[in-house]
Amino acid sequence: MAFIDPAEVTTLRSKISADKSQLGKIYVAKSSKFQTRNVDHSLVEGLLAEGWEEFGTPLKTKTRLRKIKKHNVQFEDDIWCQLYRLGYRRLSVDETFCLPFGQNDADKKQIDIVAIDDDSVLLVECKSSDVSAKAPSYKTEFDALRLRLDGFRKAVDQTFGAGRRIKYIFATRNLRLARDSADVARLVEAGGFYYNDNTFEYVDSLLKSYRDAAHYQFMGMVMKGQAINKSKIEVPAIEGTMGDKTYYMFSLEPETLLKIGFVLHRTRANEAEMPTYQRLLVPSRLKGITKFIDGGGYFPNSAILNFNEREAKLDFQPHARSKDSESRTGVLKIPNAFAIAYIIDGQHRIYGYANSKFKASNTIPVVAFKNLDPGDQLELFMQINENQKAVSPTLRITLEEDLYWNSSRLDSRLKALRSSVIRGLGGDPSGPLYNKISLGEDKAVLQAKPFADALLRCKLLPEARGNKFVDGTTAASVYDAGNVDHADEMVKARNRAISLINASYELAEESFKGHQDAFHTYILSNRGSFAFVSLIGDLHAFEAAQRTVSIKSSADERIATLDKYLTVLFKALQSISPEDAEALTGKLGSGAETTWLRIMQSYVNAKFADYNPPELRDWRERQDKALQTEGRELGTQIERHMKHFIIDQLKALFGENWDIEIGSIQRDCESRAKEQIEKNYKEGLGRQEIHWTEQFFIKDYKAIIEKYWAKRPDGAPDAETFEQHFSINVGHGSSSKAEKIKWISLFNTLRNNWAHEGTKEKGLNRNDVDLLAKIHDRLGLNRS
């Protein structure tokens, strides 16, 4: 039976708008401090007496009037606009929205503002005063709220669809009502939220600093502690202790951290959370971080959180402790609720993902403490930030020369050498890249990072770990490893690298004289520069292996050996095919720079077959559709066989109770099946039933095989065991269970690669397919 009459539902829906055009116009009107009207000229005199005033140019038959809004109207409009800016795009547009809380006609309450999104429904009641005043008693209203909220929830579910969280917000302006007052205690106990002047100002500052990302901190504030869903977040974790403090190390998707995390900003709105210590983010920096992430960037350091177990009870299920460490691994179960973890360090990283396309697919490393008191949180924050000043990646790269040039460590000196080369390329007035590379805080058309990345891998400069060169990286470089005068060799290597790169860019400038668009797109761009400098180093290493250049070669001799290759490259880029142009300019995200380099390498290889580096061969194999099809077919047969053999073996071992025996895995599979059914339905594929046995993961097979490794069915001493069937030596040995089933983990990795058909860098190479063939044959399968 419906909670409210269907006609009432229709009426309520008509007072909510999701029309973006209409909402935009309403936002403009509500943002103004004036009410406006266009009236007949004959009515103007009477309205002027009521406080209206003329403004603007009179119309032919109408006069434009305006009047300062009353404080209560202005306050409701300000809250409405704030919710609009927070991203709500279903909002009340009628002042007579009366929401039923019972089935009697009198059981209705006028709601000033209703805001709806995919996850929540906010019911906002506004109270204001023209001047600062003591608030009246709201005892009666808040005592009744607890019972009303249950009715509101039923009415909202019927009207707008079930599943959203409902929050009643009591908003005040210029009304003095202490957060520790009895009235606010009643409001909170009933499930409401108090939204006072401090809260309004704080949310306004969030919108200025966090922009679209403000929604997460706002939801954490309003919904604090409220469950997002009943299922706990389960992550593999390491538990350890420092002093008497327990902490966990794990990784979590930014989308989840944004919801469960909360930043203790230094603001009066968080006065109940004292001590607060965080600064609001700088908007431009947040935008820059998002751009950095979407461009393939990442932050290797951990975010630091604190879980207060009075609000969020953590459940750590440990594995057996290693004899070599006091720490232990296990599964950490975290309540899936808003704002249960204070973000001590890492808010820039976490909120940088708020508008990133990777917020649901990347993971952020986390160190999470348990039960740090507020003073400990503040002390930890101070320790982390006391001697830190955030610097841009460009500034960090260009500072490395000064920081590490005279370091006692070889790897640090080489870092300084890379920095010095970049500064030399962008700072040499006679060079083709002068003022074209961003250095320090100075902006330019090219960033420093592509050059830094290219110099790290392009073989012009050697690699080192600690005080030792990495084997095989010195022979083709322009750094003389035999020169024991480090200061002297740093300068010489710097000059050799700069001379070669500058000469290559000068050659490009000359070659592209009549093709400036191609030059700026494929050479003088960030991705183009990464690929071009990487190719220069790779070609130089190729020639060094032919002994046509050495450490003693002059700059002219070096560029002379590369001229023929680069000329071929430039001609190819000037007449690039539409397919290759799309492959370059249409490629986004991680892997784009590598694609640019491989295509440039392939142009050179097409003319000079001897130049065919292993990484190019590997890349081409991963583009080979026939090879991918072969590998995918082998893998599909292996996976199908694993499923059938394992289920048949379980039935032989446990009869009709086989599924109960693997109950936890079955539950996970059933959950995945339901999610897939829902996904298919929402994508317009209709309801398609999916049996839970279609949702096994490879890790599930591995867990079953390990658990019943040597078990045979009762009365069948000659029956084949999992150990006998699935033991395969893939080059990792065969003396232990772990070695015998190492292939399953490798297989899972390969499966992920062939499953990502749109990401060719993650396809299969010839060695991968050969491994699949070996596994396929060892399992006794016939080639189809």
Side-chain angles (χ1 to χ4, degrees):
M1 178 179 177
F3 181 70
I4 56 177
D5 187 87
E8 182 80 22
V9 170
T10 301
T11 300
L12 291 172
R13 287 176 180 168
S14 71
K15 297 179 179 183
I16 300 289
S17 176
D19 185 311
K20 292 182 179 178
S21 177
Q22 181 188 15
L23 293 176
K25 292 175 182 177
I26 293 173
Y27 174 77
V28 171
K30 288 183 177 292
S31 297
S32 172
K33 65 179 181 179
F34 295 99
Q35 292 175 272
T36 61
R37 294 176 64 179
N38 294 337
V39 302
D40 292 332
H41 298 315
S42 61
L43 301 175
V44 171
E45 187 173 345
L47 290 171
L48 291 177
E50 295 176 11
W52 292 85
E53 63 180 24
E54 295 182 35
F55 79 105
T57 304
L59 306 174
K60 186 174 181 180
T61 61
K62 302 282 187 180
T63 298
R64 303 174 70 188
L65 299 179
R66 70 182 185 184
K67 182 170 67 172
I68 296 278
K69 293 175 183 176
K70 293 182 179 179
H71 66 84
N72 58 315
V73 175
Q74 182 68 63
F75 183 44
E76 290 181 18
D77 286 353
D78 288 347
I79 294 290
W80 191 100
C81 289
Q82 203 169 65
L83 294 172
Y84 179 87
R85 292 168 63 201
L86 282 163
Y88 286 93
R89 289 299 182 267
R90 293 180 70 186
L91 289 154
S92 53
V93 293
D94 191 303
E95 297 175 0
T96 62
F97 188 97
C98 293
L99 188 64
F101 54 84
Q103 295 183 317
N104 296 326
D105 289 340
D107 294 338
K108 296 179 181 178
K109 181 79 169 63
Q110 190 266 332
I111 306 297
D112 294 323
I113 303 169
V114 179
I116 305 171
D117 66 8
D118 293 339
D119 300 313
S120 62
V121 177
L122 306 183
L123 308 176
V124 187
E125 184 168 2
C126 299
K127 301 288 185 182
S128 67
S129 171
D130 191 28
V131 295
S132 179
K134 183 179 180 180
S137 172
Y138 296 110
K139 180 179 184 302
T140 302
E141 185 168 346
F142 293 161
D143 282 344
L145 178 61
R146 190 189 303 273
L147 297 176
R148 288 177 177 174
L149 275 177
D150 184 58
F152 287 157
R153 186 172 290 104
K154 293 176 182 177
V156 165
D157 284 352
Q158 184 181 339
T159 305
F160 303 111
R164 294 180 178 87
R165 291 170 293 280
I166 295 175
K167 197 69 176 184
Y168 173 84
I169 295 177
F170 187 76
T172 65
R173 172 174 285 174
N174 284 338
L175 288 173
R176 300 192 297 273
L177 181 62
R179 283 197 175 273
D180 58 357
S181 66
D183 273 350
V184 172
R186 293 185 185 97
L187 172 67
V188 173
E189 287 171 6
F193 180 81
Y194 181 40
Y195 203 101
N196 63 7
D197 293 321
N198 292 337
T199 311
F200 182 91
E201 292 175 6
Y202 174 54
V203 173
D204 202 53
S205 64
L206 284 176
L207 286 163
K208 291 175 182 176
S209 295
Y210 290 70
R211 302 191 188 279
D212 295 342
H215 181 79
Y216 291 99
Q217 182 76 358
F218 170 82
M219 290 295 286
M221 179 179 65
V222 173
M223 300 284 189
K224 186 173 174 56
Q226 189 168 335
I228 297 171
N229 60 53
K230 294 181 181 179
S231 299
K232 289 191 173 184
I233 301 163
E234 296 189 19
V235 291
I238 299 173
E239 182 191 64
T241 57
M242 283 189 281
D244 60 347
K245 310 301 181 187
T246 300
Y247 68 92
Y248 302 98
M249 298 177 65
F250 54 89
S251 293
L252 206 58
E253 289 70 20
E255 189 173 47
T256 301
L257 282 172
L258 284 162
K259 293 179 179 179
I260 69 170
F262 191 72
V263 182
L264 287 170
H265 290 127
R266 291 197 304 257
T267 171
R268 292 188 301 272
N270 291 326
E271 56 198 7
E273 304 283 358
M274 294 297 287
T276 55
Y277 44 82
Q278 298 273 29
R279 298 177 294 274
L280 285 167
L281 302 180
V282 177
S284 59
R285 185 179 177 198
L286 187 63
K287 184 178 180 181
I289 291 172
T290 303
K291 185 176 181 180
F292 171 67
I293 293 167
D294 283 348
Y298 62 94
F299 301 93
N301 45 330
S302 300
I304 300 178
L305 312 180
N306 176 52
F307 286 96
N308 187 329
E309 287 210 298
R310 291 189 298 273
E311 300 169 355
K313 182 68 175 177
L314 300 179
D315 179 15
F316 183 68
Q317 299 180 352
H319 302 146
R321 196 186 299 274
S322 166
K323 65 178 182 179
D324 299 318
S325 175
E326 287 299 310
S327 63
R328 54 183 180 172
T329 61
V331 175
L332 181 65
K333 295 185 177 182
I334 305 167
N336 198 353
F338 286 105
I340 58 171
Y342 293 124
I343 301 172
I344 298 174
D345 186 63
Q347 65 158 325
H348 286 85
R349 270 162 279 153
I350 295 171
Y351 275 89
Y353 272 98
N355 295 311
S356 169
K357 60 187 177 183
F358 297 120
K359 69 179 179 181
S361 56
N362 281 6
T363 57
I364 293 179
V366 174
V367 173
F369 287 88
K370 183 172 71 174
N371 284 335
L372 287 182
D373 64 41
D376 287 334
Q377 286 188 70
L378 177 58
E379 183 177 352
L380 182 56
F381 174 80
M382 293 297 293
Q383 289 173 354
I384 293 169
N385 290 277
E386 185 177 9
N387 297 313
Q388 289 187 8
K389 182 179 180 181
V391 296
S392 68
T394 295
L395 180 58
R396 184 179 65 247
I397 289 169
T398 48
L399 285 176
E400 286 173 347
E401 179 181 7
D402 298 325
L403 290 171
Y404 304 123
W405 187 265
N406 295 311
S407 173
S408 59
R409 288 175 58 106
L410 175 60
D411 54 1
S412 294
R413 291 199 303 276
L414 291 179
K415 186 184 294 186
L417 180 56
R418 293 192 293 272
S419 170
S420 185
V421 170
I422 296 168
R423 289 176 66 172
L425 290 171
D428 179 6
S430 64
L433 294 173
Y434 178 59
N435 280 345
K436 290 185 173 65
I437 303 176
S438 298
L439 299 173
E441 299 293 350
D442 297 326
K443 305 303 178 186
V445 65
L446 300 175
Q447 297 172 5
K449 190 175 184 301
F451 290 89
D453 291 344
L455 289 170
L456 185 62
R457 53 115 14 243
C458 78
K459 304 173 187 175
L460 277 181
L461 303 177
E463 298 177 48
R465 294 191 182 95
N467 277 315
K468 291 185 178 181
F469 288 107
V470 174
D471 289 343
T473 66
T474 59
S477 76
V478 294
Y479 187 102
D480 185 359
N483 187 352
V484 296
D485 186 341
H486 303 315
D488 175 65
E489 188 54 34
M490 290 278 282
V491 173
K492 288 180 177 178
R494 172 184 182 275
N495 293 338
R496 293 181 192 120
I498 291 173
S499 295
L500 179 58
I501 294 171
N502 273 342
S504 299
Y505 272 90
E506 286 170 352
L507 197 63
E509 278 185 334
E510 183 66 26
S511 179
F512 281 90
K513 270 187 176 177
H515 301 82
Q516 285 301 296
D517 286 346
F519 177 61
H520 286 89
T521 299
Y522 302 119
I523 301 295
L524 205 65
S525 63
N526 285 311
R527 286 175 177 167
S529 288
F530 167 83
F532 188 44
V533 173
S534 296
L535 181 63
I536 293 166
D538 205 50
L539 290 170
H540 183 269
F542 176 69
E543 285 296 317
Q546 313 304 313
R547 300 186 182 278
T548 56
V549 292
S550 69
I551 197 66
K552 296 180 180 180
S553 299
S554 68
D556 289 342
E557 289 170 338
R558 293 181 198 282
I559 193 61
T561 62
L562 302 192
D563 186 297
K564 58 184 180 181
Y565 304 114
L566 297 181
T567 299
V568 166
L569 170 69
F570 300 152
K571 288 181 178 179
L573 291 174
Q574 289 167 26
S575 58
I576 191 170
S577 68
E579 294 77 15
D580 282 356
E582 173 61 25
L584 291 177
T585 59
K587 179 71 175 178
L588 301 174
S590 60
E593 291 84 357
T594 299
T595 299
W596 281 60
L597 173 57
R598 299 293 175 253
I599 289 179
M600 286 188 182
Q601 287 176 319
S602 68
Y603 289 150
V604 176
N605 168 256
K607 185 69 175 177
F608 301 97
D610 289 346
Y611 173 72
N612 192 18
E615 60 269 20
L616 177 61
R617 296 196 296 271
D618 178 86
W619 181 78
R620 280 178 162 165
E621 288 173 1
R622 295 179 192 276
Q623 321 301 303
D624 186 334
K625 292 182 179 179
L627 187 65
Q628 304 314 302
T629 299
E630 179 186 352
R632 192 178 298 110
E633 288 176 352
L634 288 168
T636 300
Q637 291 174 29
I638 292 169
E639 187 172 0
R640 188 183 299 123
H641 173 75
M642 291 179 73
K643 175 185 174 182
H644 291 158
F645 186 93
I646 289 170
I647 291 178
D648 289 346
Q649 184 80 341
L650 289 172
K651 288 179 178 178
L653 290 171
F654 306 108
E656 63 181 13
N657 296 321
W658 72 274
D659 54 342
I660 300 176
E661 187 70 25
I662 59 168
S664 63
I665 292 175
Q666 181 190 28
R667 287 191 293 275
D668 290 341
C669 292
E670 287 175 341
S671 176
R672 294 174 205 143
K674 289 178 181 178
E675 289 175 1
Q676 190 62 46
I677 291 171
E678 180 182 358
K679 180 182 178 184
N680 291 345
Y681 176 78
K682 289 182 177 178
E683 291 178 353
L685 301 177
R687 184 183 182 96
Q688 300 175 344
E689 294 302 323
I690 299 175
H691 196 266
W692 68 269
T693 56
E694 299 300 317
Q695 295 298 311
F696 280 115
F697 285 168
I698 302 299
K699 67 180 181 66
D700 298 326
Y701 296 147
K702 184 172 182 285
I704 294 169
I705 291 168
E706 287 180 303
K707 185 173 182 180
Y708 306 108
W709 181 241
K711 188 173 180 61
R712 286 189 172 88
D714 292 339
D718 297 327
E720 189 177 24
T721 64
F722 282 135
E723 178 181 10
Q724 292 170 320
H725 191 77
F726 288 115
S727 293
I728 301 176
N729 185 351
V730 289
H732 295 272
S734 58
S735 59
S736 67
K737 183 197 299 186
E739 291 174 345
K740 291 176 181 178
I741 60 172
K742 175 66 177 178
W743 70 268
I744 299 179
S745 298
L746 298 175
F747 176 75
N748 191 43
T749 299
L750 297 181
R751 186 194 183 284
N752 290 335
N753 287 350
W754 81 65
H756 293 84
E757 295 183 51
T759 308
K760 293 183 178 180
E761 291 77 13
K762 292 186 177 180
L764 303 171
N765 62 22
R766 183 73 260 174
N767 289 337
D768 294 337
V769 175
D770 289 345
L771 176 61
L772 289 172
K774 178 179 180 179
I775 296 169
H776 183 277
D777 295 346
R778 175 60 183 77
L779 291 174
L781 303 179
N782 294 320
R783 300 288 182 96
S784 58

